[in-house]
Amino acid sequence: MHLALDGVALHLPATAVFASLADLCFESIKFPSGSSHLLLRLVSSACCPHLQRLQLRKISVTALSELLLEASALLELYCEDIHDMRFLELRTPSLKILHVTGCYSLVGLTVSAPRLEELEFLVQHHLHIDTNGDDKNDSSIHLLECCRLIRCLQVQKFEQRKKQYVDIIKSWIIPQLPHVTSLTVRVTLWSPHSYAAGVASLLAQCKSIRYLSLQLCCCFIKTKKLVLSCDKSSQWKSHELSLAHVQEAEFKKLIGTADELQFIQFILTRASGIQKVAVSFNRDYWSKCSEEDGFKALPSVAGGSWTTCNIAYLSYEWTRYV
């Protein structure tokens, strides 16, 4: 059942049981005041004992400060843009996929999901997460510590708008994540500083990656000192990376500084089994915009060749010789 009602109010039943419902999606729905307990009942095992996939997207529930989900059969949970939810508690022993994005009022998360394999988690940076009754506030890292079976991981790094640059990923004590095979890192930069050290510290803990994606979003004003500012940090060189399992990598909207290009080369040199590489540059921040300049800046990868995909977007692709 997929209900997308464009903000229309939905009155939920108080006693009905949906014994066969396995996939439920509520999208753009307003639930009347005083019905939060009915929503909690509906998504629980008591009402939907065989529910395996639940999506709650852009819903509004008056006085829904806490969502307690007890669902023994649930395998996938997606919570997106639930602005009134402050506390989320999951008692989901079978859960394998968890996506929580855009829930910016969330201040507390309690998780019991020992089989979690895929995680996308984008909320406030300061959040209390409880998985074993501990009181920790290193929210994202504490969640990773308790989800060691994760295979697919997306990390979104937002640089703080401060005079002194702080690399958020680099400052984390990242646990080993031996089962991660797909890693996507999205970096939003508000000033021209190198992000490489933080990304390298994350890569060092993921030794089974097969797919790697690094995506940049630059929000600062371009200056003539851009290259000098980015070239000062080369701390990533101290990391020992084991990337022998990487088969496909993509690097989107690179700035094109020397430090950045050396870092990409550093990664690919350690990816001995690479089969495909995609690279694109950001025209707004890189002065060298010709196809020839793009080819000169591309990293050297043995056993294959580079081709131009789209010169307008300065995008290139490397594939291994057959």
Side-chain angles (χ1 to χ4, degrees):
M1 179 184 293
H2 185 174
L3 293 178
L5 301 183
D6 196 21
V8 174
L10 177 65
H11 295 268
L12 297 172
T15 58
V17 174
F18 302 96
S20 300
L21 189 60
D23 189 334
L24 174 64
C25 177
F26 283 155
E27 182 175 357
S28 300
I29 297 175
K30 293 182 179 179
F31 296 95
S33 177
S35 64
S36 59
H37 67 288
L38 296 178
L39 176 61
L40 297 180
R41 176 187 176 275
L42 178 65
V43 297
S44 70
S45 296
C47 183
C48 300
H50 295 103
L51 187 63
Q52 296 184 357
R53 190 169 190 259
L54 174 62
Q55 301 177 72
L56 301 175
R57 305 182 187 276
K58 300 180 181 179
I59 67 171
S60 175
V61 187
T62 305
L64 178 66
S65 61
E66 179 177 1
L67 178 60
L68 169 59
L69 180 57
E70 295 185 89
S72 58
L74 193 66
L75 300 176
E76 302 178 28
L77 174 62
Y78 304 85
C79 295
E80 179 182 324
D81 295 333
I82 308 177
H83 298 295
D84 300 326
M85 182 175 63
R86 291 176 53 81
F87 299 94
L88 175 61
E89 182 174 355
L90 304 179
R91 300 175 187 174
T92 49
S94 302
L95 192 67
K96 292 186 176 182
I97 299 175
L98 173 61
H99 289 198
V100 180
T101 59
C103 300
Y104 297 114
S105 297
L106 195 66
V107 296
L109 173 64
T110 302
V111 180
S112 177
R115 298 184 180 180
L116 198 61
E117 296 180 358
E118 179 176 325
L119 171 67
E120 182 177 357
F121 189 71
L122 174 58
V123 293
Q124 291 179 345
H125 182 63
H126 298 290
L127 174 71
H128 170 70
I129 293 184
D130 181 10
T131 53
N132 295 311
D134 298 328
D135 186 13
K136 289 190 177 182
N137 287 314
D138 298 330
S139 57
S140 299
I141 293 304
H142 188 36
L143 185 58
L144 287 178
E145 288 176 348
C146 303
C147 303
R148 299 298 183 92
L149 295 179
I150 290 175
R151 298 182 183 277
C152 179
L153 176 63
Q154 297 186 33
V155 176
Q156 303 212 26
K157 173 192 173 300
F158 293 89
E159 174 202 315
Q160 303 299 309
R161 294 199 217 187
K162 297 179 180 179
K163 292 183 179 180
Q164 182 177 3
Y165 173 74
V166 177
D167 192 325
I168 297 175
I169 299 180
K170 180 185 172 185
S171 64
W172 289 344
I173 302 176
I174 303 171
Q176 290 190 5
L177 301 167
H179 298 286
V180 170
T181 57
S182 175
L183 175 64
T184 299
V185 183
R186 297 189 179 97
V187 181
T188 299
L189 292 172
W190 292 96
S191 58
H193 290 276
S194 176
Y195 52 84
V199 175
S201 64
L202 180 60
L203 289 175
Q205 301 303 98
C206 303
K207 302 183 184 301
S208 301
I209 300 174
R210 295 181 179 274
Y211 170 78
L212 170 63
S213 176
L214 174 61
Q215 305 171 16
L216 301 185
C217 177
C218 299
C219 303
F220 55 84
I221 298 175
K222 180 181 177 181
T223 67
K224 294 181 180 179
K225 297 182 179 179
L226 175 61
V227 175
L228 294 177
S229 298
C230 290
D231 286 349
K232 291 181 180 179
S233 174
S234 297
Q235 299 179 23
W236 45 266
K237 293 181 180 179
S238 62
H239 288 278
E240 294 293 333
L241 302 186
S242 177
L243 303 174
H245 298 287
V246 175
Q247 296 183 355
E248 183 176 348
E250 61 176 358
F251 306 94
K252 295 183 177 180
K253 296 188 176 181
L254 299 179
I255 304 174
T257 64
D259 182 61
E260 182 180 61
L261 296 174
Q262 290 173 18
F263 178 57
I264 302 303
Q265 183 71 67
F266 179 74
I267 291 176
L268 294 177
T269 300
R270 284 149 182 80
S272 57
I274 195 74
Q275 299 294 318
K276 182 179 179 181
V277 183
V279 171
S280 66
F281 295 97
N282 191 325
R283 277 185 174 274
D284 295 332
Y285 294 90
W286 195 37
S287 59
K288 301 175 181 180
C289 294
S290 71
E291 182 178 7
E292 182 180 356
D293 288 330
F295 266 109
K296 290 180 180 179
L298 292 172
S300 175
V301 188
S305 62
W306 287 98
T307 57
T308 303
C309 293
N310 191 322
I311 189 56
Y313 293 97
L314 292 177
S315 61
Y316 307 86
E317 184 177 286
W318 178 92
T319 54
R320 183 171 291 279
Y321 296 130
V322 178

